Amino acid sequence: MLHFADSLTFSGRKVVAAWAALPFPASPGSSLPDALSAHQQDLPWKLLSSWREQKVSCCFAQSVVLRGICQEKATSCPGQPRFPLPSCESPEQVLQQFFHSQFPGAFSMCHLLQQPCDTRPPFPQFFSPLLTRQGFLLDKAQGFSSAGVESSPVLAALQSSPVLHSLLSALCRQLRAPLVRRWSSFFTAGVEQDDFQEALEELKTLSQCYETGCGADGSEEEADSD
């Protein structure tokens, strides 16, 4: 995982954020173009890192995997705009072009897998009753329990993006708070005060590597409490 994250980081960046949509919201029988067309304005994934939800409009690099969506081309539902794919010859190119349109200029690696994610027990059964046994989204609840979901389409990604500026900056501010100085056990465990301050400065520098004018709110000010 460390080497994989390194392939997505450059210009002093070392951290990537994890995103996922489980299940990836798609109707039964949806083709890949149709499933992507439904989310051109707002990607359905959620940030898995312990930070408040943010929308990302740009990123530096990303690796995306979508699995469990039918790759064959199909006719769109009436009134539903198709994702324009005149030059795409393979499903992988469809996915690549979609994320290129979502994040122009970003380095993107896209992978498409036919097999869905297995969600049979002991996988946690937290699914909505609006899902079929194959994890596809229905207009109304079905007759059987959501515990009957046996598989699910999934979208997952590792992304180097401006979201990490806010996340790392907040972590740095929390560690600089006066409360930390009262954690005597933290320093008696072998951490030197000078080493701790040096690590904080490195964390602050790292957060600045993700600062940019686009995407998430990178405008939060860092309040040094030294």
Side-chain angles (χ1 to χ4, degrees), residues 60-143:
F60 310 115
Q62 62 183 348
S63 177
V64 182
V65 176
L66 177 62
R67 57 187 301 175
I69 298 295
C70 180
Q71 299 182 18
E72 290 78 11
K73 293 183 179 179
T75 303
S76 297
C77 297
Q80 182 182 29
R82 283 289 298 271
F83 182 61
L85 304 167
S87 62
C88 294
E89 299 180 355
S90 69
E92 288 75 15
Q93 289 178 326
V94 172
L95 190 62
Q96 186 79 31
Q97 185 170 329
F98 174 78
F99 277 97
H100 177 73
S101 69
Q102 294 288 321
F103 303 100
F107 170 68
S108 297
M109 296 185 294
C110 297
H111 307 278
L112 192 65
L113 302 178
Q114 184 73 38
Q115 183 180 7
C117 178
D118 187 352
T119 57
R120 290 172 295 185
F123 195 93
Q125 297 299 304
F126 49 69
F127 299 105
S128 165
L130 292 174
L131 296 181
T132 68
R133 293 185 184 277
Q134 290 72 42
F136 290 101
L137 192 61
L138 299 173
D139 293 331
K140 60 181 180 180
Q142 52 197 345

Side-chain angles (χ1 to χ4, degrees), residues 148-159:
V149 177
E150 299 176 350
S151 64
S152 173
V154 178
L155 175 69
L158 291 179
Q159 190 179 76

Side-chain angles (χ1 to χ4, degrees), residues 20 57-58 71 104-105 126 130 137 140 144 171 178-179 205 209 212:
S57 60
C58 71
Q71 299 182 18
F126 49 69
L130 292 174
L137 192 61
K140 60 181 180 180
F144 58 85
L171 176 60
L179 179 62
T205 300
C209 293
T212 180

Side-chain angles (χ1 to χ4, degrees), residues 139-201:
D139 293 331
K140 60 181 180 180
Q142 52 197 345
F144 58 85
S145 168
S146 60
V149 177
E150 299 176 350
S151 64
S152 173
V154 178
L155 175 69
L158 291 179
Q159 190 179 76
S160 174
S161 75
V163 163
L164 289 160
H165 168 67
S166 299
L167 191 152
L168 295 173
S169 296
L171 176 60
C172 187
R173 289 195 300 272
Q174 292 170 6
L175 291 174
R176 289 180 185 274
L179 179 62
V180 174
R181 299 190 180 96
R182 296 197 291 270
W183 295 350
S184 58
S185 60
F186 185 74
F187 295 104
T188 56
V191 178
E192 297 291 338
Q193 181 72 33
D194 291 342
D195 294 339
F196 179 71
Q197 292 299 327
E198 182 180 354
L200 282 181
E201 290 302 318

